[in-house]
Amino acid sequence: MCDKSAITRTGHRRDSLNNETPPTLYAAREPIFPRRVSGKFRNLKWVIMVVTLGIYYLTPWIRWDRGVNLPDQAVLLDLANRRFFFFWIEIWPDEFYFIAGLLIMAGLGLFLFTSALGRVWCGYTCPQTVWTDLFILVERWIEGDRNARLRLHRQKKWDLRKVRLRITKWVAWIIIAMATGGAWVFYFADAPTLLVSLFTLNAPMVAYTTVAVLTATTFVFGGLAREQVCIYMCPWPRIQAAMMDEDTLVVAYRDWRGEPRGKLNKKNVGEENTGDCIDCMACVNVCPVGIDIRDGQQLECITCALCIDACDDVMVKIGKPRGLIDYMALKDEAAERAGEAPKSVWKHILRPRTILYTSLWSLVGFGLVFALFIRSEIDMNVSPVRNPTFVTMSDGSIRNTYEVRLRNKHGEDRQFHISLTSPELLVISLEGNSDLTVPVPADDTYMQRVYVLAPSGTLAAQAARTDLRLWVEDLTNGERAYVDTVFNGNDQ
């Protein structure tokens, strides 16, 4: 009788007498070697790869003249001065809502495209997909197409040829990975200056650390892990279902047309008992995540549509109509099974959910543009000095002190005039200035101590709190800004 405890979950019997190791529940990863394919979707992916990588690598080198006191880099995250430069736009720390708005737009855009076309972001523009495509392209150039790479992978003996091909491939991958990490750090400092510093070993250690980390992660994710990142590390495959419905266009297999499958040979040519699918495995061999789309929708599918190109190419060769594998919605599937014509693409895209996402996306975008155009080029922050809250002068008057931070966002020095308005009698003066005019450097902030005095016997001197408004005016163009605060009196 067989001991039930000796049966593993995989259905294999464990022989305790021979001390055999039970089979593991976790299978080792079998590398995927996609076959080269050509077609409209593959060409679209090439174009997107060239454009996105070109933007990423070249953007830090675009020059933009902002004057003598500002950096000449078009796109720069200046962490030292806590500012973000994007061509003619300059974002200060207090304007972080612009960054938050852009992140909200990115999220809504992802919801929109997923609702309309499934994981189209994953299949075409995700950095993991783009760099994996590039690494596979290099691998194919060096080791050959799918069959050649499979033979090399299964070859147990590491002869001179295999060592040469692997080292050549890994060196090429490391160069790409280093360029990736190097391009990233150029967004945080002047690119030409930092490049010289990196090669002369004068750059900050944080720059070398960042380049090293990004080089390692790009090499591992794009060269070794590949589809494992999409399947196991990325959370989006598990979230996307909430964004999709029966009108979402996804890559699907027309099984009612392709089944039953049959190998193409002279015996079954013209037979009606076989479908259009000849079980050539072309759709599987080109898939970058190694799935069979004929098994239906799967979490691993990134909607890259390479299986469409491969299948269409086979259908043309055997004289069958294209579209055995195609972009299709669940409603289309039901309609075609019933012999009805599917809905047009635009009817799938323009529906209440996508219109809502588009409206919200546009609303946030218009709000950011409006805020960008109405924002003031001068600003001020007021911090009342609390220790002490007020000072009683020798003549009985009450004085409050305020720390006023003036911000000049112009590219030139400006003269700012400080004043106040209040329902009560209050007198303003500046520390270190005989008048109320303050010079503020270009594109910088300036701290000024301001004194507000309530003469003895006035209501403001005797009241606990009196409202007041501090004003700052740019004497060059008359632009003004204000901050409301309070004056603390002696109400004893």
Side-chain angles (χ1 to χ4, degrees):
M1 180 178 293
C2 177
D3 183 4
K4 292 183 179 181
S5 64
I7 304 299
T8 66
R9 290 183 61 187
T10 57
H12 297 282
R13 185 179 183 277
R14 181 178 61 201
D15 192 342
S16 59
L17 297 177
N18 295 330
N19 294 323
E20 293 182 359
T21 303
T24 178
L25 298 178
Y26 301 96
R29 174 182 178 259
E30 183 68 23
I32 297 173
F33 301 99
R35 181 176 64 82
R36 184 178 64 86
V37 64
S38 59
K40 60 181 180 181
F41 293 108
R42 176 66 267 184
N43 293 336
L44 177 61
K45 283 173 67 66
W46 288 136
V47 171
I48 292 176
M49 185 181 77
V50 171
V51 171
T52 52
L53 290 179
I55 292 173
Y56 176 74
Y57 287 118
L58 297 179
T59 297
W61 300 94
I62 301 175
R63 302 291 92 187
W64 191 270
D65 185 13
R66 292 191 178 88
V68 295
N69 296 319
L70 292 175
D72 292 331
Q73 191 159 306
V75 179
L76 178 65
L77 293 167
D78 189 358
L79 297 181
N81 297 307
R82 297 179 299 172
R83 278 177 290 179
F84 171 51
F85 298 95
F86 185 81
F87 293 92
W88 63 90
I89 301 174
E90 179 181 353
I91 304 299
W92 288 66
D94 61 305
E95 297 173 328
F96 185 78
Y97 54 85
F98 284 108
I99 307 299
L102 290 176
L103 293 176
I104 293 173
M105 290 185 66
L108 290 173
L110 186 59
F111 295 164
L112 171 62
F113 282 106
T114 303
S115 177
L117 298 170
R119 291 180 65 185
V120 65
W121 157 262
C122 301
Y124 293 90
T125 54
C126 174
Q128 172 65 19
T129 298
V130 172
W131 263 279
T132 298
D133 265 357
L134 180 59
F135 276 49
I136 292 176
L137 178 63
V138 171
E139 183 180 68
R140 186 179 295 124
W141 280 345
I142 296 173
E143 297 182 352
D145 205 359
R146 181 176 186 272
N147 291 337
R149 302 203 306 278
L150 273 173
R151 287 193 299 269
L152 188 67
H153 170 68
R154 293 169 180 171
Q155 177 183 324
K156 302 299 182 182
K157 181 182 178 181
W158 280 74
D159 57 13
L160 183 61
R161 177 179 177 273
K162 183 170 183 177
V163 172
R164 174 177 57 82
L165 291 177
R166 286 296 167 86
I167 291 178
T168 304
K169 178 181 70 175
W170 291 337
V171 169
W173 284 357
I174 290 175
I175 292 174
I176 296 173
M178 290 182 63
T180 302
W184 179 255
V185 297
F186 292 149
Y187 283 90
F188 297 87
D190 182 64
T193 304
L194 181 57
L195 179 64
V196 174
S197 299
L198 286 172
F199 280 98
T200 57
L201 304 181
N202 293 319
M205 182 54 63
V206 65
Y208 292 108
T209 303
T210 303
V211 172
V213 170
L214 290 178
T215 298
T217 52
T218 304
F219 181 89
V220 173
F221 291 168
L224 304 179
R226 293 185 180 174
E227 79 287 347
Q228 303 289 293
V229 176
C230 303
I231 298 173
Y232 300 110
M233 296 176 61
C234 180
W236 186 240
R238 291 148 184 85
I239 301 174
Q240 63 170 342
M243 303 294 111
M244 299 167 61
D245 56 26
E246 58 185 6
D247 273 307
T248 302
L249 292 170
V250 295
V251 177
Y253 167 65
R254 289 184 167 93
D255 60 342
W256 60 93
R257 173 186 152 186
E259 303 296 329
R261 307 171 196 172
K263 292 292 184 181
L264 184 65
N265 53 59
K266 294 181 180 180
K267 294 182 179 180
N268 63 9
V269 171
E271 292 185 6
E272 296 182 358
N273 61 342
T274 58
D276 289 350
C277 179
I278 61 174
D279 205 18
C280 62
M281 301 296 288
C283 55
V284 179
N285 293 337
V286 302
C287 180
V289 295
I291 65 170
D292 190 342
I293 193 62
R294 297 172 298 178
D295 293 336
Q297 279 297 303
Q298 297 154 70
L299 176 145
E300 296 87 350
C301 181
I302 61 173
T303 320
C304 64
L306 295 183
C307 54
I308 298 178
D309 285 337
C311 187
D312 283 349
D313 184 56
V314 172
M315 291 296 105
V316 170
K317 290 179 180 179
I318 66 175
K320 298 288 185 178
R322 296 169 179 263
L324 181 60
I325 299 176
D326 204 354
Y327 271 104
M328 187 169 50
L330 286 176
K331 281 189 175 180
D332 291 339
E333 179 180 346
E336 290 190 18
R337 287 182 183 276
E340 303 173 0
K343 294 168 59 176
S344 67
V345 173
W346 288 110
K347 287 184 178 180
H348 284 298
I349 295 178
L350 298 178
R351 62 184 194 276
R353 173 179 288 196
T354 58
I355 293 174
L356 174 62
Y357 289 146
T358 304
S359 301
L360 293 175
W361 185 88
S362 302
L363 184 64
V364 175
F366 285 135
L368 291 179
V369 172
F370 180 75
L372 186 64
F373 279 99
I374 67 170
R375 67 174 183 171
S376 174
E377 295 298 325
I378 65 173
D379 194 12
M380 66 185 302
N381 292 325
V382 178
S383 300
V385 176
R386 301 298 187 186
N387 189 20
T389 304
F390 63 88
V391 175
T392 303
M393 310 301 288
S394 58
D395 60 355
S397 58
I398 303 298
R399 189 182 74 178
N400 282 198
T401 305
Y402 303 86
E403 298 285 357
V404 178
R405 184 181 296 275
L406 302 172
R407 182 177 292 112
N408 176 18
K409 299 180 182 179
H410 293 281
E412 59 184 10
D413 297 347
R414 293 293 178 95
Q415 295 288 328
F416 286 1
H417 180 76
I418 300 177
S419 60
L420 69 80
T421 56
S422 175
E424 305 298 333
L425 177 61
L426 296 172
V427 180
I428 185 173
S429 61
L430 307 183
E431 183 180 74
N433 288 328
S434 57
D435 56 10
L436 300 179
T437 302
V438 179
V440 181
D443 203 64
D444 203 353
T445 60
Y446 182 83
M447 181 69 74
Q448 176 64 54
R449 175 160 287 201
V450 176
Y451 301 115
V452 177
L453 189 73
S456 177
T458 61
L459 183 61
Q462 300 172 357
R465 296 164 65 91
T466 301
D467 294 332
L468 68 91
R469 175 172 291 179
L470 287 174
W471 289 86
V472 59
E473 179 182 0
D474 186 347
L475 297 180
T476 302
N477 58 12
E479 189 175 7
R480 305 180 74 192
Y482 68 87
V483 171
D484 289 325
T485 185
V486 296
F487 180 87
N488 296 291
N490 185 3
D491 61 342
Q492 301 299 323

